[in-house]
DNA sequence: TGGGGAAGGACCC
DNA sequence: CGCCAGGGTCCTTCCTTA
């Protein structure tokens, strides 16, 4: 495995598709070879391709400062070294997996597919820095096809030829507005990607291709991150297999073995049988039918899923603290259980799954590892009814992580994947291989986040979310595009009522209302309004009134734009396909009331909690002072308003599959979301035994009540945790930024995981702050009187404004988020001298 | 100068 | 013939004041 200098980056990157590499060992029977694929489909959309520097010696010697200085005893450096051909190897490497089952890393094909399908960039011609491949041909761009393929394009299990599926989807989709919209977005992304690649090429050129300094920097970062590694916890992620579909099969055995989908206009789930045909969640119903003519559609039954979910969660709770991530997925700590029962994590997971299957008839898959991030990925590894265990050693974690297609990292979505692939990152291991290059574009790529993934780090604590952490409640409805304003109002009215209903049920009120609309061209727009700091509302009347104001205002603006000769989003006519309302800046009425009733500490308690949870944002403050009940907004004639649903009747009653002709949207059936989440909402319509209206929040259900009483304690606990630097570091395996800075952290990271891949900003700042940077030259901030070094124009206060201005002088490409320019246009390297005086300074960019 | 608000996105399920 | 959800969270970039 000795990385040979010759094989390095240059070859691997420069487009020369790591050619031979038959990659996937034996396993999957999946077809698709890179060649065939690129043959049938147009190459990447990207005009530019990042061409690695001739010999960046990246993989060469550069012995990396062994990431795990402290921990990890026997870590063989060799193990940690980057692999010459990242994509070459695949499955189970010794170290890594040990999972409980024998079927090793599956032969499922999932991963195989993704990696194979990933070559968006691999097909580029030369290795010239800027290769343009105008993808204007008749054939759809690879990226577009993938986009159309949906989120699961990469994932679907064993199914028919992926290319064929894509083609069918494409055929069925083209010509639709949806398609056009996707095309536009794809083009936009391409622009963005090209700009980034161009910038990278430029930066590399400036350095003559030498990024050793950068690599050294990254190695330092790695060393720091490595210190935060915690391997003492055992976290399991349990994920039900095709949850909705399974629930239905359990109720109706005749469905077993048949191809059916749950949902109508859009599939929320497809049975495994249907998946073989290419059907997947989030796919349009009519498209699914094309793929599988005999596909059966089943209506959603939220109360069913809900009860199934409860059963599963109850079982999981027997093994340890759990943190439901959704209806069919939960994180659970097996640390204590294993210790107490003296069983291995694999055995514990085995038991757990067996018990779930026996008691609920539902099969679940599990992933076990020392942290949430790895477990999450592992849970998908042996998906249908299987499990995957990763040993608690740095080697195993890294081995596992390293082999993952970058897209499999939770938090890396379609967009991020494309961006990363454009610069040569296809697998997590590539992150290390190209660390030097990535450092140059760390901000736009979220380097620290990627490094964490590379090291296989993730959150090691599971905190159950409590309702005080809810950020908002919303209701939105899609309908056939229309331009009738009166109807908009009508819909808004219904939505306002629905939202009020949810608020009532879940006991929340808030102070900012956001109107969301989506034009017939699929462009969404949001307009928000925050009422007074102490004005909390939750009534339909206010929702409607405020929502209407926002809508009217928007329409007025559009008229003005048109008058001025500009064209607003969605074209000249105000034609919409969706309207929604969201309430945020919430106040937990339940907690307020409860505590109020239970004890006099209410104020204190809730305040501290809120403060803690809402990192930084002081959502709380006044809340206590505001009258618990409603303020100025009475619900006076609400009824009248609401009841006059005459014209459109109660949309909720419709139960057709697709859109009904003219009328609307029957929220319920027609669209359904993906599993879980919506559940609650629908639960709402299906009458809920569920207090709150959203997934996680609903799933958390019972905990909700507890939170009221235990909230205080929980908070204390969290605070303590925060004190430990270590915790801070892993906690959010999702938010890239924050880690090193324990400060804020207030451990609230609820169950839901997010992740972003950009947002390095903060972290980067800090790092820079720590030590002077040589290559940071360009960031040389402007000091003293703010003045543009280029045109001399002076700026009042904002450095940000200045930097943005300065940047305009350097826009070589798109007006895209430019790179870093800032200040030093001229400043050569002087920089060194001035150590970044403050984070904010360093920050001034973009 | 820092915080809050508003708008837009990316991601998840 | 037409045709692609909905609920949530977090991050970032303006922009605007106290």
């Amino acid at each position: 495995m000795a990385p040979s200098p010759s094989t390095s980056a240059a070859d691997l990157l420069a487009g020369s598709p790591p050619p031979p590499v038959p990659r996937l060992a034996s396993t999957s029977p999946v077809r698709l070879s890179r060649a065939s694929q690129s043959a049938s489909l147009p190459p990447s959309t990207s005009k530019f391709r990042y061409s690695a520097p001739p010999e960046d010696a990246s993989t060469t010697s550069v012995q990396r400062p062994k990431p795990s200085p402290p921990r990890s005893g026997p870590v063989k450096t060799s193990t940690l070294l980057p692999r010459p051909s990242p994509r070459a190897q695949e499955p189970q490497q010794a170290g890594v997996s040990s999972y409980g089952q024998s079927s090793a890393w599956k032969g499922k094909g999932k991963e195989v597919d993704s990696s194979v399908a990933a070559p968006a960039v691999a097909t580029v011609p030369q290795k010239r820095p800027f290769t343009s491949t105008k993808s204007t041909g008749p054939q759809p761009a690879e990226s577009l096809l993938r986009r159309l393929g949906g989120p699961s394009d990469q994932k679907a299990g064993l199914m028919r030829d992926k290319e064929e599926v894509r083609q069918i989807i494409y055929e069925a989709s083209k010509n639709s507005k949806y398609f056009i919209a996707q095309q536009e977005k794809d083009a936009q992304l391409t622009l963005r990607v090209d700009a980034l690649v161009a910038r990278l090429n430029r930066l590399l050129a400036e350095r003559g291709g030498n990024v050793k300094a950068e690599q050294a920097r990254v190695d330092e970062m790695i060393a720091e991150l490595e210190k935060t590694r915690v391997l003492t916890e055992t976290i399991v992620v349990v994920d039900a297999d095709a949850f909705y579909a399974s629930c239905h099969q359990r109720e109706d055995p005749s469905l077993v073995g048949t191809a059916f989908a749950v949902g109508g206009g859009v599939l929320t789930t497809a049975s495994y049988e249907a998946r073989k045909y290419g059907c997947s969640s989030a796919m349009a119903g009519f498209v699914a039918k094309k793929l599988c003519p005999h596909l059966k559609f089943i209506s959603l039954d939220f109360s069913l899923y809900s009860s199934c979910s409860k059963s599963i969660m109850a079982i999981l709770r027997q093994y340890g603290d759990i943190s439901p991530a959704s209806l069919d997925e939960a994180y659970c700590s097996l640390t204590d259980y294993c210790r107490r029962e003296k069983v291995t994590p694999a055995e514990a997971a085995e038991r757990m799954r067996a018990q779930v299957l026996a008691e609920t008839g539902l099969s679940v898959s599990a992933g076990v590892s020392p942290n949430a991030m790895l477990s999450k990925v592992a849970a998908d590894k042996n998906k249908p009814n299987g499990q995957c265990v990763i040993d608690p050693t740095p080697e195993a974690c890294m081995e596992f992580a390293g082999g993952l297609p970058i897209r499999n990292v939770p938090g890396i979505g379609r967009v991020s994947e494309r961006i990363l692939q454009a610069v040569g990152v296809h697998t997590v291991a590539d992150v290390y291989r190209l660390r030097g290059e990535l450092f140059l574009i760390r901000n736009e790529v979220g380097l620290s986040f990627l490094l964490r993934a590379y090291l296989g780090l993730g959150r090691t604590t599971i905190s159950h979310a409590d309702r005080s952490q809810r950020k908002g409640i919303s209701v939105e409805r899609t309908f056939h595009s229309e331009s009738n304003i009166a109807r908009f109002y009508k819909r808004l009215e219904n939505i306002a009522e629905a939202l009020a209903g949810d608020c009532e049920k879940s006991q929340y009120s808030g102070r900012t209302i956001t109107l969301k609309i989506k034009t017939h061209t699929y462009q969404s727009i949001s307009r928000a309004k925050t009422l007074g700091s102490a004005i909390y509302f939750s009534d339909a009347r206010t929702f409607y009134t405020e929502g209407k104001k926002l809508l009217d205002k928007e329409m007025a603006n559009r008229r003005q734009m048109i008058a001025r000769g500009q064209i607003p989003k969605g074209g000249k006519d105000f034609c919409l396909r969706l309207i929604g309302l969201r309430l945020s800046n919430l106040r937990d009425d339940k907690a307020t009331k409860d505590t109020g009733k239970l004890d006099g500490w209410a104020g204190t308690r809730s305040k501290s909690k809120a403060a803690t949870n809402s990192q930084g944002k002081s959502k709380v403050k006044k809340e206590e002072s505001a009258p618990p009940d409603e303020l100025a907004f009475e619900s006076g004639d609400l009824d009248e308003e609401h009841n006059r649903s005459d014209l459109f009747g109660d949309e909720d009653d419709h139960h057709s599959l697709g859109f009904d002709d003219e009328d609307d949207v029957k929220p319920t059936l027609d669209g359904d979301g993906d599993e879980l989440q919506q559940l609650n909402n629908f639960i709402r319509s299906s009458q809920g035994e569920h207090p709150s209206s959203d997934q996680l929040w609903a799933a958390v259900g019972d905990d909700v009540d507890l939170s009221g009483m235990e909230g205080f304690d929980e908070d204390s606990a969290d605070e303590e945790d925060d004190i430990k630097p270590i915790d801070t570091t892993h906690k959010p395996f999702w938010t890239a930024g924050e880690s090193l800075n324990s400060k804020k952290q207030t451990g609230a990271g609820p169950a839901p995981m997010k992740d972003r891949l950009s947002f390095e900003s903060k972290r980067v700042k800090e790092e820079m702050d720590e030590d002077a940077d040589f290559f940071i030259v360009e960031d040389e901030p402007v000091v003293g009187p703010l003045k543009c070094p280029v045109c001399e124009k002076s700026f009042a206060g904002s450095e940000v404004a200045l930097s943005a201005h300065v940047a305009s002088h350097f826009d070589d490409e798109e007006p895209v988020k430019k790179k870093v320019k800032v200040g030093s246009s001229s400043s050569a390297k002087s920089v060194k001298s001035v150590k970044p005086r403050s984070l904010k300074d360093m920050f001034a960019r973009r």
Side-chain angles (χ1 to χ4, degrees), chain A residues 568-635:
Chain A
K569 274 189 179 179
K572 298 194 174 181
D573 29 73
F574 196 52
C575 187
L576 308 179
R577 66 166 358 256
L578 170 154
I579 293 181
L581 285 178
R582 172 185 169 77
L583 181 68
S584 55
N585 260 319
L586 304 179
R587 176 182 66 183
D588 184 345
D589 291 334
K590 179 183 271 184
T592 303
K593 285 183 197 166
D594 291 353
T595 55
K597 269 191 270 185
L598 302 176
D599 65 350
W601 300 16
T604 305
R605 176 174 301 178
S606 98
K607 260 182 190 170
S608 80
K609 167 175 289 190
T612 302
N613 297 328
S614 57
Q615 36 190 109
K617 302 231 170 181
S618 56
K619 54 152 48 145
V620 191
K621 42 194 79 163
K622 307 278 187 180
E623 90 172 42
E624 300 308 337
S625 59
D629 301 5
E630 236 18 276
L631 25 193
F633 307 84
E634 66 324 83
S635 50

Side-chain angles (χ1 to χ4, degrees), chain A residues 11-18 34 38 42-51 119-134 194 197 421-422 426:
Chain A
D11 305 50
L12 297 177
L13 295 183
S16 51
R34 223 177 225 215
S38 52
S44 110
T45 9
S46 241
K47 302 181 284 191
F48 305 113
R49 210 144 141 13
Y50 158 60
S51 63
V121 178
T123 38
V124 181
Q126 328 279 7
K127 57 188 313 179
R128 280 191 53 40
F130 305 92
T131 337
S132 80
T133 316
K134 270 304 181 189
D194 289 347
V197 171
Q421 292 189 335
H426 296 85

Side-chain angles (χ1 to χ4, degrees), chain A residues 743-788:
Chain A
K743 243 181 145 181
K744 283 215 160 200
Q745 293 288 351
T746 64
M753 39 179 90
K754 309 282 115 128
D755 292 281
R756 270 261 63 68
L757 87 99
S758 18
F759 335 135
E760 277 274 307
S761 332
K762 296 179 205 158
R763 153 183 285 301
V764 172
K765 284 194 304 186
E766 290 158 30
E767 291 166 6
M768 293 178 155
D769 207 28
E770 293 167 25
D771 29 38
D773 300 273
F774 17 125
F775 42 56
I776 298 296
V777 183
E778 304 177 284
D779 295 337
E780 175 51 327
V782 182
V783 199
L786 301 177
K787 227 173 177 194
C788 172

